[in-house]
């Protein structure tokens, strides 16, 4: 009877100051905390004194029983993670699918899946009379070069910067350059395909219409577009270049 009474008193004492801790494997235990340090948690249960390692406890129990140590270790872990990220990025690595891979090699491999189409054409407006002459009239119309760029098979999860540099050449008078090395840039986000259309600074074509007693005649002054210089970058990678009088060259990407 005395032994039973003693056990009841011990159980009662435990229950008054008891806490419940859980383990990573899902087990739970009611105990009294006797001591704790940076490595272990020592508790007393109805079965006796027991030593537990912090890494065996669930995150919730670890955080509840020793919040100061949990916070310190969490900050140390974040610092180690940040240091590792900085070191890997300094080596030219990026995180893809939970793994560190070489950034240059990954981006070049991704570019091979991209399709590119570049077309140069022109846009011509309607003639409008601008001057009435004694024997006729003068009319003008605008003419622009048009550069069309299409991209296909982009990575929808990425954001790209598309940059284009261009010069248009005309054959009017002595070989004229239009919009010399002019650049334009667009941001592409969440897109599988993308189109860009660029129009050059408008040029002016004109014609004279002469009226005679027996009819009329026209004198046209048209502008011929003779070629282009074009360079296209996707992010910082040159993917296309075309020089006036030469065949276009595709880098990494596929001609579409």
């Amino acid at each position: 009877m005395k032994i039973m009474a003693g056990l009841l008193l011990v159980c009662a004492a435990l229950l008054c100051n008891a806490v419940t801790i859980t383990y990573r494997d899902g087990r739970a235990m009611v105990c009294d905390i006797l001591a704790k340090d940076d490595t272990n948690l020592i508790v007393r249960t109805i079965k006796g004194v027991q030593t537990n390692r912090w890494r065996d406890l669930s995150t919730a129990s670890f955080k509840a029983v020793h919040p100061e140590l949990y916070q310190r270790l969490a900050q140390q872990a974040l610092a180690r993670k940040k240091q590792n990220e900085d070191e890997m990025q300094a080596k030219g690595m990026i995180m893809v699918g939970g793994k560190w891979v070489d950034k240059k090699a990954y981006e070049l491999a991704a570019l091979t899946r991209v399709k590119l189409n570049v077309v140069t054409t022109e846009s011509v407006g309607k003639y409008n009379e601008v001057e009435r002459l004694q024997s006729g009239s003068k009319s003008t119309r605008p003419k622009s070069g048009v550069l069309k760029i299409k991209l296909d098979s982009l990575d929808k999860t990425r954001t790209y910067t598309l940059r284009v540099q261009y010069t248009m050449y005309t054959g009017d008078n002595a070989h004229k350059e239009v919009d010399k090395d002019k650049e334009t840039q667009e941001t592409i986000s969440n897109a599988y395909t993308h189109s860009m259309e660029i129009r050059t600074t408008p040029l002016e074509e004109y014609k004279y219409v002469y009226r005679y007693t027996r009819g009329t005649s026209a004198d046209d002054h048209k502008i011929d577009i003779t070629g282009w210089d074009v360079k296209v970058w996707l992010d910082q990678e040159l993917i296309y270049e075309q020089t006036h009088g030469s065949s276009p060259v595709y880098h990494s990407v596929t001609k579409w």
Side-chain angles (χ1 to χ4, degrees):
M1 293 295 293
K2 290 182 178 180
I3 294 175
M4 183 62 71
L7 287 173
L8 290 173
L9 288 173
V10 171
C11 289
L14 282 172
L15 290 172
C16 289
N17 301 296
V19 296
T20 300
I21 59 175
T22 57
Y23 295 86
R24 291 186 181 276
D25 61 8
R27 291 180 298 118
M29 180 177 66
V30 179
C31 61
D32 263 344
I33 297 174
L34 300 180
K36 54 188 176 182
D37 57 26
D38 285 1
T39 306
N40 299 312
L41 170 66
I42 302 173
V43 299
R44 180 173 59 201
T45 71
I46 57 175
K47 295 182 180 180
V49 176
Q50 178 178 321
T51 300
N52 301 278
R53 296 174 301 179
W54 291 111
R55 61 175 177 269
D56 293 331
L57 270 63
S58 68
T59 301
S61 285
F62 183 4
K63 189 174 182 179
V65 173
H66 203 333
E68 297 85 0
L69 176 61
Y70 176 85
Q71 187 64 30
R72 174 154 47 91
L73 293 178
Q75 290 176 349
Q76 290 174 359
L78 286 174
R80 288 194 299 271
K81 180 181 178 183
K82 179 65 168 59
Q83 182 181 0
N84 181 63
E85 289 175 349
D86 291 343
E87 290 174 352
M88 297 304 284
Q89 290 172 3
K91 294 177 182 178
M93 310 288 279
I94 57 174
M95 181 69 74
V96 179
K99 295 181 179 180
W100 289 102
V101 297
D102 182 79
K103 180 180 179 181
K104 187 73 173 178
Y106 174 79
E107 291 182 346
L108 285 175
L111 276 178
T112 62
R113 297 189 293 270
V114 175
K115 299 176 182 178
L116 173 67
N117 178 256
V118 179
V119 175
T120 54
T121 183
E122 60 186 47
S123 173
V124 181
K126 294 182 178 180
Y127 278 111
N128 289 306
E129 186 177 280
V130 295
E131 186 178 355
R132 179 75 65 170
L133 305 173
Q134 184 176 0
S135 59
S137 63
K138 176 183 178 181
S139 298
T140 64
R141 67 179 181 182
K143 185 173 189 176
S144 297
V146 181
L147 176 59
K148 297 180 179 180
I149 296 169
K150 290 184 178 181
L151 291 165
D152 186 73
S153 302
L154 296 169
D155 184 347
K156 291 183 67 174
T157 66
R158 291 185 56 188
T159 296
Y160 299 89
T161 298
L162 176 63
R163 180 164 64 95
V164 180
Q165 181 187 83
Y166 60 94
T167 303
M168 186 182 74
Y169 297 90
T170 67
D172 64 317
N173 302 324
H175 196 63
K176 181 179 178 182
E177 297 173 340
V178 180
D179 293 342
K180 174 67 174 174
D181 293 334
K182 190 171 182 179
E183 291 194 5
T184 186
Q185 181 172 298
E186 289 183 357
T187 299
I188 308 170
S189 298
N190 304 318
Y192 185 76
T193 62
H194 183 77
S195 297
M196 174 192 280
E197 182 173 296
I198 298 169
R199 290 176 179 259
T200 64
T201 301
L203 302 174
E204 189 177 86
E205 292 186 329
Y206 63 94
K207 69 176 180 179
Y208 291 99
V209 176
Y210 301 99
R211 298 179 178 85
Y212 305 97
T213 304
R214 296 181 180 180
T216 63
S217 66
D219 182 10
D220 292 342
H221 295 265
K222 294 183 178 180
I223 298 171
D224 294 323
I225 298 175
T226 59
W228 295 73
D229 288 344
V230 181
K231 288 186 178 180
V232 181
W233 290 265
L234 195 58
D235 291 335
Q236 301 301 317
E237 198 67 33
L238 179 66
I239 60 173
Y240 177 90
E241 56 184 328
Q242 172 185 342
T243 303
H244 180 228
S246 301
S247 299
V249 179
Y250 293 78
H251 299 284
S252 301
V253 298
T254 302
K255 180 180 178 181
W256 182 23

